Amino acid sequence: MPHADSLILTLVGGFVLAFVFGMLANRLKLSPLVGYLVAGVLVGPHTAGFVADTELAPQLAEIGVILLMFGVGLHFSPADLMKVRKVAVPGAIFQILAATVLGWGLGRLLGMGDLEAALMGFALSVASTVVLLRALEERKQVKGEIGSVAVGWLIVEDLVIVIALVLLPLLIVQPGETLSGPELAKSIAWTLGKVAVFVGAMLFIGPRVLPWVLVKIAHTRSRELFTLGVLAIALGIAWVAYAMFHSFALGAFLAGLVLNSSPLGHNAAERSLPLRDAFAVLFFVSVGMLFDPMILVEKPLTVLGILGIVILGKALAALAITFAFKLDRATSLTIAASLAQIGEFSFILAALGVSLGALTSQTHDLILAAALLSISLNPFVFKLTDRLGGRPKSGSPGARALAVETAAEAKKPNPATA
């Protein structure tokens, strides 16, 4: 592909095919994410026909990661998390540990080393917040007790992943390198110290400076300047975090978190949403480009084993902890169904593992295959939980919350007829 037009062709091919297959997935009652991933497979090097720029696409995907994490921060509510912390914090940690151990066990059976097997299990432990929110929105359960617990649970998982993205490069020794215990401890302590300083500065200075900057920009009454200002803050802080400890994710998350607490946080979220959506699509397309579909033919039983961990292992772990906390059946089953998939953070972890030499490309493909299948099957998992009692019973708190939200949605004007 000529260098002069590689960016344009990559964007055109990615967006057009993502739209076509996203629409097709939507018509089939599947998540549009499935369509985006399939579009990436079709423009990737493992299939015939047009091949997008495989060097440029990951850079566009990195912008998608930054904006995804920025969006997570914009929608993160410490107050909401505190309300469900007694269930969400121990539940998320237990479920991550359970999935990691199951993945490690399967990896060892497949002949992987301890590090690769454990990292594969860790990647399988993280559910997709995007898939969860869309499923809860379709069921009108976002604002009820069930939605609060499920979203809080995934927020804890997201926080764990943000920390892991910072620490993994330190814990995984590159080939040819050796680190003694004291050297490793010193390196971790130094990085954590920089992270603490950065987080402290963001949480102390950010709420005093960034809202003031947004207000000044808002006074210009220019929509494009306000949008550019929001993106400049997100990308700029993410770059500072990357320069300090090689993590775009933490900087973008903190930028969103600080703006979320400002008076203009809602406007910032609205202005950045179109670009966040667009680059999120490119992120999923670029992930699909890295996937070799032949893994489904060459290792079908292995794929099924990994898929079993994602759908059954994680769901059973969630049921165990929710029943231990004596949550009702509807809440327990909904949380279990919500976690029976993996998505964007699994992709990020898998890509990081490959770049660090801890994961092989084949293991990376196995994780992507499990993600593609679990996202596709997630609507059917929810339907199964409904049959088992996943919908709130009439008169229960969950049912009343569902009724209130349904009534509120019904009062909203339909944009299609407006």
Side-chain angles (χ1 to χ4, degrees):
M1 181 186 299
H3 179 73
D5 59 2
S6 62
L7 174 61
I8 296 175
L9 290 177
T10 299
L11 290 174
V12 171
F15 280 131
V16 171
L17 286 176
F19 169 73
V20 172
F21 285 94
M23 285 291 292
L24 181 60
N26 187 65
R27 291 295 298 270
L28 295 174
K29 306 297 182 184
L30 300 175
S31 170
L33 300 186
V34 176
Y36 306 155
L37 291 169
V38 171
V41 173
L42 292 179
V43 298
H46 301 292
T47 54
F50 169 74
V51 177
D53 191 327
T54 54
E55 294 183 0
L56 182 62
Q59 296 180 51
L60 296 174
E62 197 70 64
I63 300 176
V65 172
I66 293 172
L67 295 179
L68 277 171
M69 291 305 303
F70 181 60
V72 171
L74 280 171
H75 293 93
F76 175 74
S77 173
D80 290 344
L81 178 58
M82 291 301 292
K83 292 177 184 177
V84 296
R85 68 188 185 282
K86 293 181 179 179
V87 177
V89 174
I93 293 174
F94 174 78
Q95 183 264 312
I96 288 174
L97 290 174
T100 301
V101 170
L102 289 173
W104 171 82
L106 179 60
R108 292 295 291 158
L109 289 175
L110 296 173
M112 299 179 188
D114 286 325
L115 176 60
E116 183 174 16
L119 190 54
M120 182 186 74
F122 188 42
L124 298 179
S125 70
V126 191
S128 168
T129 307
V130 175
V131 175
L132 167 70
L133 289 175
R134 289 181 179 177
L136 292 179
E137 286 170 358
E138 290 176 0
R139 296 161 60 86
K140 306 294 188 292
Q141 290 179 324
V142 174
K143 297 180 182 178
E145 179 185 359
I146 293 176
S148 298
V149 175
V151 172
W153 192 302
L154 261 70
I155 284 175
V156 176
E157 288 191 356
D158 292 349
L159 293 176
V160 171
I161 295 305
V162 170
I163 296 172
L165 292 175
V166 175
L167 293 180
L168 277 177
L170 300 177
L171 299 175
I172 299 175
V173 179
Q174 298 295 325
E177 294 182 0
T178 57
L179 281 179
S180 63
E183 290 176 332
L184 179 61
K186 182 180 179 180
S187 179
I188 292 176
W190 172 245
T191 299
L192 289 179
K194 290 193 295 183
V195 170
V197 170
F198 179 75
V199 172
M202 281 295 301
L203 296 181
F204 180 76
I205 300 175
R208 292 163 174 77
V209 174
L210 296 186
W212 177 81
V213 172
L214 284 183
V215 169
K216 290 295 183 181
I217 299 174
H219 285 164
T220 66
R221 299 184 181 277
S222 171
R223 293 179 58 187
E224 58 268 27
L225 283 178
F226 189 84
T227 302
L228 283 174
V230 171
L231 291 175
I233 289 172
L235 296 174
I237 294 176
W239 180 84
V240 171
Y242 181 78
M244 291 181 66
F245 33 81
H246 301 286
S247 175
F248 286 117
L250 180 60
F253 172 78
L254 287 173
L257 181 62
V258 171
L259 291 183
N260 180 38
S261 61
S262 71
L264 292 175
H266 180 70
N267 288 349
E270 284 188 344
R271 291 287 183 264
S272 64
L273 183 59
L275 271 178
R276 275 168 30 216
D277 287 345
F279 277 98
V281 169
L282 284 180
F283 167 72
F284 289 110
V285 170
S286 69
V287 169
M289 289 174 60
L290 300 175
F291 175 60
D292 184 357
M294 287 304 296
I295 197 74
L296 298 172
V297 178
E298 296 171 355
K299 293 187 175 293
L301 295 180
T302 303
V303 172
L304 286 177
I306 294 176
L307 186 63
I309 292 175
V310 174
I311 294 181
L312 294 178
K314 292 173 61 179
L316 291 175
L319 287 175
I321 197 72
T322 51
F323 285 152
F325 280 91
K326 298 181 179 178
L327 299 183
D328 60 83
R329 179 185 293 184
T331 303
S332 298
L333 288 172
T334 300
I335 292 175
S338 302
L339 298 172
Q341 42 85 11
I342 56 175
E344 59 272 10
F345 287 116
S346 300
F347 303 148
I348 296 171
L349 280 170
L352 178 61
V354 172
S355 67
L356 294 174
L359 287 182
T360 64
S361 59
Q362 185 178 81
T363 304
H364 179 273
D365 287 339
L366 290 172
I367 295 172
L368 263 58
L372 185 60
L373 293 173
S374 65
I375 293 173
S376 302
L377 294 174
N378 198 240
F380 302 101
V381 174
F382 268 104
K383 289 181 180 179
L384 177 61
T385 60
D386 287 344
R387 290 180 176 272
L388 297 175
R391 284 284 186 178
K393 293 181 180 179
S394 178
S396 69
R400 289 196 294 271
L402 177 61
V404 170
E405 189 168 354
T406 303
E409 289 291 333
K411 292 180 180 179
K412 291 181 179 180
N414 187 347
T417 59

